[in-house]
Amino acid sequence: MADKKKFYLSSITERLRQLQAETGLSDAALAALSGEQGLTPDQADHMIENVVGTFALPLGIARNFVVNGRAVPVPMAVEEPSVVAAASYMAKLANAGGGFRASTTEAEMIGQLQILDLDDIEQAADALETARADLLAEAAQVDPVLTKLGGGPRDIEVRRISDSPIGPFLVMHLIMDVRDAMGANAINTALERLTPSVERLTGGRALLRILSNLANKRLAKASCRIPVDALTFDEFSGEDVRDRVIEAWAFAAADPYRAATHNKGIMNGIDAVVLATGNDWRAVEAGAHAYAARSGKYTSLSTWSKGDDGALVGELEMPMAVGVVGGATRVHPSASAAIELMGVKSGRELAEVIVSVGLAQNLGALRALATEGIQRGHMALHARQVAVAAGVPEKWIEVVVGQMVKENHIHVERAKEIIRNLKAEGK
Ligand code: MEV
């Protein structure tokens, strides 16, 4: 049997067909992914205000991802070149060590209720703590369906804010398991429902009632273990690559200036999947950076170290408030198709894939930066796209790419010229 054409060298139609053959994706979902039947202006008009149209981004599929033993095609909506290729390649390296292991905590979101004008903060705090069970029961009435699904209010926490510009005040946290939704609506509605009771119990005035994006009770964690042999390339030994990646990570661990860029590289992967699945990427961004600063000093979200067996071991843990129901996840046809393509059945499963992509993306950046530099890979990818656009046959792609990169002359006309020369030489 002839070898299957490489995914990245296939046409868009061939890629779509291959995806369908691999996953059994419906025709409708395929059409939605292709953009042919994506979000219509009419649908968009029901989502936000003053709609004049829709805005498209490239949607690529990261390959090779195996998360908790399951192969999963990863849809990524992103405008930046190299992101999808790097994620795919790093996922392949991770497969040498069994792929990604990922886990999540329960999907517990935090809602905040700010209480002002208190005569006695301690007395008010006591009153809320004493009424904890009643408050939880009242919050549970807001969304009986959520409770039926096993979610609902879990806890009440009372926090004293002492060093604010307006003097001390109280904050009540409502912790709620939102199951497979992002959860903003459920939590904000519950907070508003509790307001009269909270004001009566404390004698204070409730001001803000809104969820916190520092979703540190809704964490996702991924790890991978890459045998050094799999890291070897060009003149770099696997040990050398491993040590350089760890040194590069140490820079981000110690320095906020570097950590911001390091974490941006992680978010290249995270945001692309969050966006493709119709989730709120600003919420995930806000949670990520607040979590990165949780010790009081902004630092790397990931860690890289040397395992007992000499392997390169990576870990990423961060808040991940994403869902597979509600919001745009079902309304946006391409988002709904993206979720179908991934075969994820719950918000937690989606979060586990997303955090694995973040870890892969981080490794892609660190490996390139700490060895050949970031530009060479970019150039090679660009040259490949140009070669494909010039109609270079698959067997000559690498030769043409190599030549154009060496000459630093990457152009469709040059690719065609190289092919003509190769043919003239009888190759
Ligand atoms: C570019 O979009 C992302 C990187 O800057 C990430 C990093 O520096 O780790 C390459």
Side-chain angles (χ1 to χ4, degrees):
M1 200 176 84
D3 272 356
K4 219 187 315 172
K5 198 168 176 184
K6 287 197 173 83
F7 197 76
Y8 64 84
L9 293 176
S10 304
S11 68
I12 293 178
T13 311
E14 287 167 339
R15 289 182 194 134
L16 285 165
R17 289 212 195 302
Q18 189 175 332
L19 273 187
Q20 191 167 39
E22 286 170 2
T23 62
L25 198 66
S26 65
D27 288 341
L30 212 65
L33 283 184
S34 75
E36 260 171 42
Q37 280 170 33
L39 189 72
T40 64
D42 275 351
Q43 285 167 322
D45 203 20
H46 292 110
M47 289 172 76
I48 65 160
E49 310 72 41
N50 298 356
V51 165
V52 294
T54 58
F55 181 92
L57 275 176
L59 179 70
I61 307 294
R63 308 282 288 165
N64 310 320
F65 273 86
V66 175
V67 180
N68 294 334
R70 191 175 78 85
V72 44
V74 180
M76 301 178 82
V78 62
E79 86 299 343
E80 186 174 327
S82 304
V83 168
V84 177
S88 304
Y89 189 29
M90 294 307 115
K92 195 171 177 180
L93 294 189
N95 286 344
F100 296 91
R101 305 293 320 160
S103 59
T104 42
T105 60
E106 299 288 331
E108 289 182 358
M109 289 298 281
I110 298 169
Q112 296 194 291
L113 202 152
Q114 180 189 21
I115 312 157
L116 301 164
D117 302 344
L118 293 167
D119 295 333
D120 186 334
I121 284 199
E122 286 313 314
Q123 205 172 41
D126 281 352
L128 289 175
E129 268 151 13
T130 309
R132 183 177 165 277
D134 291 342
L135 290 168
L136 288 175
E138 189 176 353
Q141 289 167 17
V142 174
D143 195 341
V145 177
L146 184 61
T147 310
K148 219 165 127 190
L149 291 170
R154 294 285 185 260
D155 204 0
I156 299 280
E157 289 171 354
V158 182
R159 296 177 52 232
R160 293 128 179 103
I161 305 288
S162 50
D163 55 353
S164 96
I166 54 161
F169 59 87
L170 216 56
V171 176
M172 188 188 91
H173 280 191
L174 169 66
I175 319 293
M176 198 155 158
D177 186 328
V178 296
R179 295 275 125 172
D180 292 320
M182 187 274 181
N185 276 335
I187 203 116
N188 293 339
T189 312
L191 287 170
E192 291 190 7
R193 171 73 171 257
L194 292 185
T195 302
S197 301
V198 169
E199 288 187 328
R200 184 176 36 78
L201 285 161
T202 59
R205 172 171 62 96
L207 192 63
L208 297 201
R209 291 144 304 161
I210 186 75
L211 66 75
S212 170
N213 289 123
L214 176 48
N216 63 358
K217 292 179 186 290
R218 195 179 188 181
L219 298 173
K221 189 172 176 174
S223 64
C224 64
R225 186 174 203 90
I226 306 182
V228 277
D229 288 352
L231 292 169
T232 309
F233 78 103
D234 289 353
E235 74 274 23
F236 299 100
S237 72
E239 283 80 5
D240 194 15
V241 175
R242 176 198 63 207
D243 295 345
R244 285 166 181 251
V245 166
I246 296 169
E247 286 163 352
W249 158 77
F251 185 4
D255 175 26
Y257 284 93
R258 171 59 204 152
T261 324
H262 174 101
N263 290 341
K264 189 272 182 185
I266 293 174
M267 301 312 287
N268 275 344
I270 303 264
D271 285 344
V273 192
V274 173
L275 186 52
T277 55
N279 277 287
D280 180 347
W281 79 97
R282 287 89 55 212
V284 175
E285 277 280 342
H289 298 292
Y291 195 66
R294 66 195 180 282
S295 69
K297 180 184 168 191
Y298 186 85
T299 186
S300 164
L301 282 166
S302 64
T303 58
W304 290 96
S305 60
K306 178 176 159 182
D308 297 341
D309 53 356
L312 176 64
V313 178
E315 268 184 25
L316 172 62
E317 181 189 73
M318 56 185 286
M320 193 58 68
V322 292
V324 292
V325 296
T329 56
R330 293 290 157 101
V331 177
H332 193 304
S334 310
S336 155
I339 291 170
E340 189 182 327
L341 172 75
M342 295 171 83
V344 288
K345 299 280 179 281
S346 67
R348 290 176 66 179
E349 210 185 329
L350 175 60
E352 286 164 5
V353 177
I354 293 176
V355 76
S356 302
V357 177
L359 187 59
Q361 209 72 59
N362 185 218
L363 178 61
L366 295 187
R367 175 185 166 278
L369 288 167
T371 56
E372 60 189 11
I374 208 85
Q375 285 310 101
R376 195 173 144 203
H378 283 321
M379 296 272 283
L381 273 177
H382 176 51
R384 181 166 293 132
Q385 273 156 358
V386 167
V388 171
V392 174
E394 191 173 345
K395 61 175 178 171
W396 282 332
I397 292 268
E398 294 310 321
V399 180
V400 174
V401 165
Q403 175 96 12
M404 289 197 295
V405 170
K406 203 168 93 198
E407 294 169 351
N408 198 10
H409 182 191
I410 301 172
H411 204 274
V412 171
E413 284 316 314
R414 179 60 189 141
K416 288 182 176 165
E417 199 173 69
I418 297 170
I419 284 297
R420 276 197 298 275
N421 293 343
L422 285 169
K423 284 185 179 159
E425 287 166 24
K427 295 209 172 134

